[in-house]
Amino acid sequence: VEEIDVSNTADSSTTTTRKANGNSSSSCAQTQQEINTLIAKQNDGTATLKLLPDIFLCQQNIQNETHARESMAHELIHAIDMCRTKMDPINNCIHMACTEIRAENLAGECHWLRELQRGRMGTN
């Protein structure tokens, strides 16, 4: 059984496939047909699909259901950024800033009422 990693990479032409020989090429599945093919391989038992990086939400840090939903949306936006672009936020602070601003904006974390609730906006 081959292990297919459908996670983020810099090259967008293929999907990472790890076989016994350890060779791999990388990218995210881009089309519905590619996704359907990967799901079919998993369903017939010839492959195992993995999506990395994993996203973990720690119960002790989640305040409520809305916070959990926004946190998940935020992290999924990072995953999309990493999959669809040649972004390297670990080694490039401009990439990190870009993906953080994008994730916070699209996940709803930049709403003025939220900033007021967090005490980051004065009412004076």
Side-chain angles (χ1 to χ4, degrees):
V1 176
E2 66 182 322
E3 180 180 291
I4 299 174
D5 179 2
V6 290
S7 63
N8 58 319
T9 63
D11 179 301
S12 63
S13 60
T14 57
T15 301
T16 299
T17 304
R18 287 191 182 94
K19 297 184 179 180
N21 63 9
N23 294 339
S24 69
S25 59
S26 345
S27 179
C28 299
Q30 298 294 316
T31 66
Q32 187 65 45
Q33 182 179 1
E34 289 175 322
I35 292 168
N36 290 342
T37 301
L38 293 173
I39 291 171
K41 281 185 172 188
Q42 178 163 312
N43 289 342
D44 69 14
T46 59
T48 302
L49 303 182
K50 292 182 74 177
L51 180 62
L52 298 172
D54 295 330
I55 296 174
F56 296 98
L57 299 179
C58 299
Q59 181 178 359
Q60 67 268 26
N61 296 325
I62 299 298
Q63 299 162 358
N64 53 40
E65 184 179 343
T66 301
H67 184 228
R69 186 173 40 255
E70 288 175 356
S71 296
M72 181 62 76
H74 179 108
E75 296 307 322
L76 288 171
I77 291 164
H78 286 313
I80 290 167
D81 286 348
M82 295 293 294
C83 181
R84 301 205 39 111
T85 66
K86 294 180 180 181
M87 183 173 277
D88 183 16
I90 303 301
N91 298 310
N92 187 325
C93 63
I94 293 172
H95 291 180
M96 176 63 83
C98 179
T99 191
E100 282 300 330
I101 291 168
R102 184 174 136 75
E104 290 196 18
N105 185 34
L106 293 174
E109 298 173 70
C110 293
H111 192 272
W112 70 270
L113 187 55
R114 176 64 45 89
E115 295 303 312
L116 186 63
Q117 290 171 335
R118 291 178 180 160
R120 295 183 184 157
M121 220 167 89
T123 55
N124 298 356

PDB file of all heavy atoms in Angstrom, residues 64-92:
ATOM      1  N   ASN A  64     -14.943  28.881  23.183  1.00  0.00           N
ATOM      2  CA  ASN A  64     -16.318  28.488  22.877  1.00  0.00           C
ATOM      3  C   ASN A  64     -16.369  27.949  21.444  1.00  0.00           C
ATOM      4  O   ASN A  64     -15.350  27.881  20.759  1.00  0.00           O
ATOM      5  CB  ASN A  64     -17.287  29.664  23.070  1.00  0.00           C
ATOM      6  CG  ASN A  64     -16.863  30.898  22.300  1.00  0.00           C
ATOM      7  OD1 ASN A  64     -16.404  30.815  21.156  1.00  0.00           O
ATOM      8  ND2 ASN A  64     -17.016  32.057  22.922  1.00  0.00           N
ATOM      9  N   GLU A  65     -17.563  27.605  20.979  1.00  0.00           N
ATOM     10  CA  GLU A  65     -17.709  27.023  19.647  1.00  0.00           C
ATOM     11  C   GLU A  65     -17.294  28.004  18.546  1.00  0.00           C
ATOM     12  O   GLU A  65     -16.661  27.618  17.565  1.00  0.00           O
ATOM     13  CB  GLU A  65     -19.163  26.594  19.435  1.00  0.00           C
ATOM     14  CG  GLU A  65     -19.391  25.886  18.129  1.00  0.00           C
ATOM     15  CD  GLU A  65     -20.828  25.443  17.950  1.00  0.00           C
ATOM     16  OE1 GLU A  65     -21.577  25.384  18.934  1.00  0.00           O
ATOM     17  OE2 GLU A  65     -21.196  25.145  16.793  1.00  0.00           O
ATOM     18  N   THR A  66     -17.622  29.268  18.720  1.00  0.00           N
ATOM     19  CA  THR A  66     -17.243  30.278  17.727  1.00  0.00           C
ATOM     20  C   THR A  66     -15.728  30.391  17.629  1.00  0.00           C
ATOM     21  O   THR A  66     -15.169  30.455  16.527  1.00  0.00           O
ATOM     22  CB  THR A  66     -17.855  31.648  18.088  1.00  0.00           C
ATOM     23  OG1 THR A  66     -19.277  31.513  18.125  1.00  0.00           O
ATOM     24  CG2 THR A  66     -17.468  32.709  17.091  1.00  0.00           C
ATOM     25  N   HIS A  67     -15.056  30.382  18.757  1.00  0.00           N
ATOM     26  CA  HIS A  67     -13.598  30.457  18.779  1.00  0.00           C
ATOM     27  C   HIS A  67     -12.992  29.233  18.093  1.00  0.00           C
ATOM     28  O   HIS A  67     -12.023  29.341  17.328  1.00  0.00           O
ATOM     29  CB  HIS A  67     -13.099  30.584  20.220  1.00  0.00           C
ATOM     30  CG  HIS A  67     -11.628  30.770  20.331  1.00  0.00           C
ATOM     31  ND1 HIS A  67     -10.856  30.037  21.196  1.00  0.00           N
ATOM     32  CD2 HIS A  67     -10.771  31.595  19.673  1.00  0.00           C
ATOM     33  CE1 HIS A  67      -9.594  30.400  21.074  1.00  0.00           C
ATOM     34  NE2 HIS A  67      -9.508  31.340  20.161  1.00  0.00           N
ATOM     35  N   ALA A  68     -13.576  28.053  18.341  1.00  0.00           N
ATOM     36  CA  ALA A  68     -13.093  26.824  17.698  1.00  0.00           C
ATOM     37  C   ALA A  68     -13.261  26.916  16.186  1.00  0.00           C
ATOM     38  O   ALA A  68     -12.351  26.573  15.433  1.00  0.00           O
ATOM     39  CB  ALA A  68     -13.835  25.610  18.248  1.00  0.00           C
ATOM     40  N   ARG A  69     -14.416  27.392  15.728  1.00  0.00           N
ATOM     41  CA  ARG A  69     -14.679  27.508  14.296  1.00  0.00           C
ATOM     42  C   ARG A  69     -13.719  28.502  13.647  1.00  0.00           C
ATOM     43  O   ARG A  69     -13.149  28.237  12.593  1.00  0.00           O
ATOM     44  CB  ARG A  69     -16.135  27.926  14.082  1.00  0.00           C
ATOM     45  CG  ARG A  69     -16.573  27.940  12.656  1.00  0.00           C
ATOM     46  CD  ARG A  69     -18.066  28.201  12.452  1.00  0.00           C
ATOM     47  NE  ARG A  69     -18.643  29.207  13.317  1.00  0.00           N
ATOM     48  CZ  ARG A  69     -19.437  28.947  14.371  1.00  0.00           C
ATOM     49  NH1 ARG A  69     -19.741  27.711  14.688  1.00  0.00           N
ATOM     50  NH2 ARG A  69     -19.924  29.936  15.099  1.00  0.00           N
ATOM     51  N   GLU A  70     -13.501  29.649  14.293  1.00  0.00           N
ATOM     52  CA  GLU A  70     -12.573  30.651  13.745  1.00  0.00           C
ATOM     53  C   GLU A  70     -11.138  30.140  13.738  1.00  0.00           C
ATOM     54  O   GLU A  70     -10.396  30.392  12.786  1.00  0.00           O
ATOM     55  CB  GLU A  70     -12.674  31.952  14.538  1.00  0.00           C
ATOM     56  CG  GLU A  70     -13.952  32.712  14.279  1.00  0.00           C
ATOM     57  CD  GLU A  70     -14.103  33.937  15.148  1.00  0.00           C
ATOM     58  OE1 GLU A  70     -13.246  34.176  16.036  1.00  0.00           O
ATOM     59  OE2 GLU A  70     -15.088  34.668  14.947  1.00  0.00           O
ATOM     60  N   SER A  71     -10.753  29.423  14.768  1.00  0.00           N
ATOM     61  CA  SER A  71      -9.398  28.872  14.827  1.00  0.00           C
ATOM     62  C   SER A  71      -9.179  27.843  13.727  1.00  0.00           C
ATOM     63  O   SER A  71      -8.127  27.825  13.068  1.00  0.00           O
ATOM     64  CB  SER A  71      -9.132  28.231  16.184  1.00  0.00           C
ATOM     65  OG  SER A  71      -9.182  29.206  17.201  1.00  0.00           O
ATOM     66  N   MET A  72     -10.181  26.993  13.513  1.00  0.00           N
ATOM     67  CA  MET A  72     -10.075  25.991  12.452  1.00  0.00           C
ATOM     68  C   MET A  72     -10.020  26.675  11.087  1.00  0.00           C
ATOM     69  O   MET A  72      -9.194  26.312  10.243  1.00  0.00           O
ATOM     70  CB  MET A  72     -11.249  25.014  12.513  1.00  0.00           C
ATOM     71  CG  MET A  72     -11.177  23.946  11.455  1.00  0.00           C
ATOM     72  SD  MET A  72      -9.721  22.884  11.583  1.00  0.00           S
ATOM     73  CE  MET A  72     -10.173  21.864  12.943  1.00  0.00           C
ATOM     74  N   ALA A  73     -10.859  27.675  10.873  1.00  0.00           N
ATOM     75  CA  ALA A  73     -10.836  28.412   9.607  1.00  0.00           C
ATOM     76  C   ALA A  73      -9.466  29.056   9.396  1.00  0.00           C
ATOM     77  O   ALA A  73      -8.899  29.000   8.303  1.00  0.00           O
ATOM     78  CB  ALA A  73     -11.935  29.462   9.579  1.00  0.00           C
ATOM     79  N   HIS A  74      -8.924  29.668  10.428  1.00  0.00           N
ATOM     80  CA  HIS A  74      -7.614  30.317  10.372  1.00  0.00           C
ATOM     81  C   HIS A  74      -6.543  29.323   9.928  1.00  0.00           C
ATOM     82  O   HIS A  74      -5.764  29.588   9.006  1.00  0.00           O
ATOM     83  CB  HIS A  74      -7.282  30.904  11.750  1.00  0.00           C
ATOM     84  CG  HIS A  74      -5.964  31.584  11.836  1.00  0.00           C
ATOM     85  ND1 HIS A  74      -5.846  32.938  11.927  1.00  0.00           N
ATOM     86  CD2 HIS A  74      -4.698  31.096  11.868  1.00  0.00           C
ATOM     87  CE1 HIS A  74      -4.560  33.267  11.988  1.00  0.00           C
ATOM     88  NE2 HIS A  74      -3.844  32.154  11.969  1.00  0.00           N
ATOM     89  N   GLU A  75      -6.508  28.153  10.572  1.00  0.00           N
ATOM     90  CA  GLU A  75      -5.491  27.147  10.249  1.00  0.00           C
ATOM     91  C   GLU A  75      -5.694  26.546   8.867  1.00  0.00           C
ATOM     92  O   GLU A  75      -4.725  26.253   8.155  1.00  0.00           O
ATOM     93  CB  GLU A  75      -5.458  26.061  11.324  1.00  0.00           C
ATOM     94  CG  GLU A  75      -5.031  26.574  12.698  1.00  0.00           C
ATOM     95  CD  GLU A  75      -3.714  27.345  12.682  1.00  0.00           C
ATOM     96  OE1 GLU A  75      -2.792  26.947  11.937  1.00  0.00           O
ATOM     97  OE2 GLU A  75      -3.598  28.332  13.420  1.00  0.00           O
ATOM     98  N   LEU A  76      -6.949  26.369   8.449  1.00  0.00           N
ATOM     99  CA  LEU A  76      -7.209  25.850   7.110  1.00  0.00           C
ATOM    100  C   LEU A  76      -6.785  26.845   6.034  1.00  0.00           C
ATOM    101  O   LEU A  76      -6.317  26.453   4.962  1.00  0.00           O
ATOM    102  CB  LEU A  76      -8.685  25.484   6.955  1.00  0.00           C
ATOM    103  CG  LEU A  76      -9.119  24.231   7.710  1.00  0.00           C
ATOM    104  CD1 LEU A  76     -10.635  24.089   7.681  1.00  0.00           C
ATOM    105  CD2 LEU A  76      -8.443  22.998   7.157  1.00  0.00           C
ATOM    106  N   ILE A  77      -6.910  28.139   6.310  1.00  0.00           N
ATOM    107  CA  ILE A  77      -6.441  29.154   5.365  1.00  0.00           C
ATOM    108  C   ILE A  77      -4.928  29.064   5.211  1.00  0.00           C
ATOM    109  O   ILE A  77      -4.402  29.150   4.102  1.00  0.00           O
ATOM    110  CB  ILE A  77      -6.901  30.563   5.794  1.00  0.00           C
ATOM    111  CG1 ILE A  77      -8.420  30.660   5.627  1.00  0.00           C
ATOM    112  CG2 ILE A  77      -6.177  31.650   5.002  1.00  0.00           C
ATOM    113  CD1 ILE A  77      -9.051  31.814   6.337  1.00  0.00           C
ATOM    114  N   HIS A  78      -4.215  28.835   6.319  1.00  0.00           N
ATOM    115  CA  HIS A  78      -2.760  28.609   6.218  1.00  0.00           C
ATOM    116  C   HIS A  78      -2.476  27.391   5.342  1.00  0.00           C
ATOM    117  O   HIS A  78      -1.568  27.414   4.502  1.00  0.00           O
ATOM    118  CB  HIS A  78      -2.139  28.379   7.591  1.00  0.00           C
ATOM    119  CG  HIS A  78      -2.002  29.603   8.430  1.00  0.00           C
ATOM    120  ND1 HIS A  78      -1.486  30.781   7.966  1.00  0.00           N
ATOM    121  CD2 HIS A  78      -2.312  29.815   9.734  1.00  0.00           C
ATOM    122  CE1 HIS A  78      -1.479  31.672   8.943  1.00  0.00           C
ATOM    123  NE2 HIS A  78      -1.977  31.113  10.029  1.00  0.00           N
ATOM    124  N   ALA A  79      -3.233  26.317   5.538  1.00  0.00           N
ATOM    125  CA  ALA A  79      -3.020  25.096   4.753  1.00  0.00           C
ATOM    126  C   ALA A  79      -3.244  25.370   3.266  1.00  0.00           C
ATOM    127  O   ALA A  79      -2.471  24.912   2.420  1.00  0.00           O
ATOM    128  CB  ALA A  79      -3.948  23.986   5.244  1.00  0.00           C
ATOM    129  N   ILE A  80      -4.277  26.133   2.949  1.00  0.00           N
ATOM    130  CA  ILE A  80      -4.544  26.481   1.550  1.00  0.00           C
ATOM    131  C   ILE A  80      -3.414  27.333   0.992  1.00  0.00           C
ATOM    132  O   ILE A  80      -2.939  27.106  -0.122  1.00  0.00           O
ATOM    133  CB  ILE A  80      -5.900  27.202   1.419  1.00  0.00           C
ATOM    134  CG1 ILE A  80      -7.031  26.217   1.687  1.00  0.00           C
ATOM    135  CG2 ILE A  80      -6.048  27.849   0.044  1.00  0.00           C
ATOM    136  CD1 ILE A  80      -8.376  26.868   1.887  1.00  0.00           C
ATOM    137  N   ASP A  81      -2.960  28.315   1.764  1.00  0.00           N
ATOM    138  CA  ASP A  81      -1.842  29.163   1.314  1.00  0.00           C
ATOM    139  C   ASP A  81      -0.607  28.322   1.005  1.00  0.00           C
ATOM    140  O   ASP A  81       0.053  28.516  -0.015  1.00  0.00           O
ATOM    141  CB  ASP A  81      -1.494  30.213   2.368  1.00  0.00           C
ATOM    142  CG  ASP A  81      -2.501  31.336   2.453  1.00  0.00           C
ATOM    143  OD1 ASP A  81      -3.364  31.447   1.549  1.00  0.00           O
ATOM    144  OD2 ASP A  81      -2.433  32.112   3.422  1.00  0.00           O
ATOM    145  N   MET A  82      -0.303  27.389   1.885  1.00  0.00           N
ATOM    146  CA  MET A  82       0.880  26.558   1.703  1.00  0.00           C
ATOM    147  C   MET A  82       0.724  25.622   0.505  1.00  0.00           C
ATOM    148  O   MET A  82       1.689  25.343  -0.194  1.00  0.00           O
ATOM    149  CB  MET A  82       1.146  25.738   2.964  1.00  0.00           C
ATOM    150  CG  MET A  82       1.502  26.575   4.170  1.00  0.00           C
ATOM    151  SD  MET A  82       3.082  27.400   4.007  1.00  0.00           S
ATOM    152  CE  MET A  82       4.172  26.004   4.003  1.00  0.00           C
ATOM    153  N   CYS A  83      -0.483  25.167   0.263  1.00  0.00           N
ATOM    154  CA  CYS A  83      -0.730  24.229  -0.823  1.00  0.00           C
ATOM    155  C   CYS A  83      -0.694  24.921  -2.181  1.00  0.00           C
ATOM    156  O   CYS A  83      -0.161  24.386  -3.130  1.00  0.00           O
ATOM    157  CB  CYS A  83      -2.091  23.575  -0.607  1.00  0.00           C
ATOM    158  SG  CYS A  83      -2.546  22.361  -1.844  1.00  0.00           S
ATOM    159  N   ARG A  84      -1.258  26.083  -2.282  1.00  0.00           N
ATOM    160  CA  ARG A  84      -1.470  26.708  -3.580  1.00  0.00           C
ATOM    161  C   ARG A  84      -0.386  27.698  -3.984  1.00  0.00           C
ATOM    162  O   ARG A  84      -0.417  28.201  -5.101  1.00  0.00           O
ATOM    163  CB  ARG A  84      -2.837  27.382  -3.588  1.00  0.00           C
ATOM    164  CG  ARG A  84      -3.919  26.339  -3.303  1.00  0.00           C
ATOM    165  CD  ARG A  84      -5.247  26.651  -3.803  1.00  0.00           C
ATOM    166  NE  ARG A  84      -5.315  27.263  -5.086  1.00  0.00           N
ATOM    167  CZ  ARG A  84      -5.800  26.678  -6.168  1.00  0.00           C
ATOM    168  NH1 ARG A  84      -6.201  25.439  -6.116  1.00  0.00           N
ATOM    169  NH2 ARG A  84      -5.902  27.336  -7.291  1.00  0.00           N
ATOM    170  N   THR A  85       0.536  28.005  -3.106  1.00  0.00           N
ATOM    171  CA  THR A  85       1.592  28.961  -3.442  1.00  0.00           C
ATOM    172  C   THR A  85       2.951  28.389  -3.084  1.00  0.00           C
ATOM    173  O   THR A  85       3.054  27.391  -2.388  1.00  0.00           O
ATOM    174  CB  THR A  85       1.405  30.295  -2.692  1.00  0.00           C
ATOM    175  OG1 THR A  85       1.587  30.056  -1.293  1.00  0.00           O
ATOM    176  CG2 THR A  85       0.043  30.901  -2.929  1.00  0.00           C
ATOM    177  N   LYS A  86       3.987  29.055  -3.512  1.00  0.00           N
ATOM    178  CA  LYS A  86       5.355  28.645  -3.169  1.00  0.00           C
ATOM    179  C   LYS A  86       5.811  29.436  -1.949  1.00  0.00           C
ATOM    180  O   LYS A  86       6.862  30.048  -1.929  1.00  0.00           O
ATOM    181  CB  LYS A  86       6.277  28.876  -4.358  1.00  0.00           C
ATOM    182  CG  LYS A  86       5.922  27.982  -5.520  1.00  0.00           C
ATOM    183  CD  LYS A  86       6.811  28.199  -6.698  1.00  0.00           C
ATOM    184  CE  LYS A  86       6.381  27.264  -7.818  1.00  0.00           C
ATOM    185  NZ  LYS A  86       7.199  27.390  -8.984  1.00  0.00           N
ATOM    186  N   MET A  87       5.000  29.385  -0.912  1.00  0.00           N
ATOM    187  CA  MET A  87       5.214  30.156   0.298  1.00  0.00           C
ATOM    188  C   MET A  87       6.122  29.396   1.258  1.00  0.00           C
ATOM    189  O   MET A  87       6.021  28.186   1.390  1.00  0.00           O
ATOM    190  CB  MET A  87       3.849  30.415   0.923  1.00  0.00           C
ATOM    191  CG  MET A  87       3.864  31.246   2.141  1.00  0.00           C
ATOM    192  SD  MET A  87       2.172  31.622   2.644  1.00  0.00           S
ATOM    193  CE  MET A  87       1.858  33.014   1.588  1.00  0.00           C
ATOM    194  N   ASP A  88       7.006  30.124   1.930  1.00  0.00           N
ATOM    195  CA  ASP A  88       7.893  29.541   2.931  1.00  0.00           C
ATOM    196  C   ASP A  88       7.867  30.409   4.183  1.00  0.00           C
ATOM    197  O   ASP A  88       8.797  31.174   4.442  1.00  0.00           O
ATOM    198  CB  ASP A  88       9.311  29.430   2.372  1.00  0.00           C
ATOM    199  CG  ASP A  88      10.268  28.768   3.343  1.00  0.00           C
ATOM    200  OD1 ASP A  88       9.805  28.133   4.314  1.00  0.00           O
ATOM    201  OD2 ASP A  88      11.482  28.897   3.129  1.00  0.00           O
ATOM    202  N   PRO A  89       6.781  30.335   4.985  1.00  0.00           N
ATOM    203  CA  PRO A  89       6.657  31.224   6.138  1.00  0.00           C
ATOM    204  C   PRO A  89       7.655  30.935   7.255  1.00  0.00           C
ATOM    205  O   PRO A  89       7.894  31.796   8.095  1.00  0.00           O
ATOM    206  CB  PRO A  89       5.223  31.002   6.612  1.00  0.00           C
ATOM    207  CG  PRO A  89       4.868  29.666   6.096  1.00  0.00           C
ATOM    208  CD  PRO A  89       5.630  29.475   4.831  1.00  0.00           C
ATOM    209  N   ILE A  90       8.259  29.770   7.263  1.00  0.00           N
ATOM    210  CA  ILE A  90       9.235  29.451   8.304  1.00  0.00           C
ATOM    211  C   ILE A  90      10.526  30.233   8.085  1.00  0.00           C
ATOM    212  O   ILE A  90      11.133  30.732   9.032  1.00  0.00           O
ATOM    213  CB  ILE A  90       9.522  27.936   8.339  1.00  0.00           C
ATOM    214  CG1 ILE A  90       8.235  27.141   8.558  1.00  0.00           C
ATOM    215  CG2 ILE A  90      10.574  27.597   9.375  1.00  0.00           C
ATOM    216  CD1 ILE A  90       7.493  27.477   9.832  1.00  0.00           C
ATOM    217  N   ASN A  91      10.954  30.378   6.839  1.00  0.00           N
ATOM    218  CA  ASN A  91      12.219  31.039   6.537  1.00  0.00           C
ATOM    219  C   ASN A  91      12.072  32.429   5.931  1.00  0.00           C
ATOM    220  O   ASN A  91      13.078  33.077   5.660  1.00  0.00           O
ATOM    221  CB  ASN A  91      13.027  30.161   5.574  1.00  0.00           C
ATOM    222  CG  ASN A  91      13.372  28.829   6.191  1.00  0.00           C
ATOM    223  OD1 ASN A  91      13.873  28.770   7.305  1.00  0.00           O
ATOM    224  ND2 ASN A  91      13.085  27.756   5.491  1.00  0.00           N
ATOM    225  N   ASN A  92      10.847  32.889   5.703  1.00  0.00           N
ATOM    226  CA  ASN A  92      10.637  34.185   5.076  1.00  0.00           C
ATOM    227  C   ASN A  92       9.573  34.942   5.857  1.00  0.00           C
ATOM    228  O   ASN A  92       8.387  34.615   5.793  1.00  0.00           O
ATOM    229  CB  ASN A  92      10.204  33.986   3.616  1.00  0.00           C
ATOM    230  CG  ASN A  92      10.126  35.285   2.849  1.00  0.00           C
ATOM    231  OD1 ASN A  92       9.755  36.322   3.382  1.00  0.00           O
ATOM    232  ND2 ASN A  92      10.457  35.222   1.579  1.00  0.00           N
TER     233      ASN A  92
END
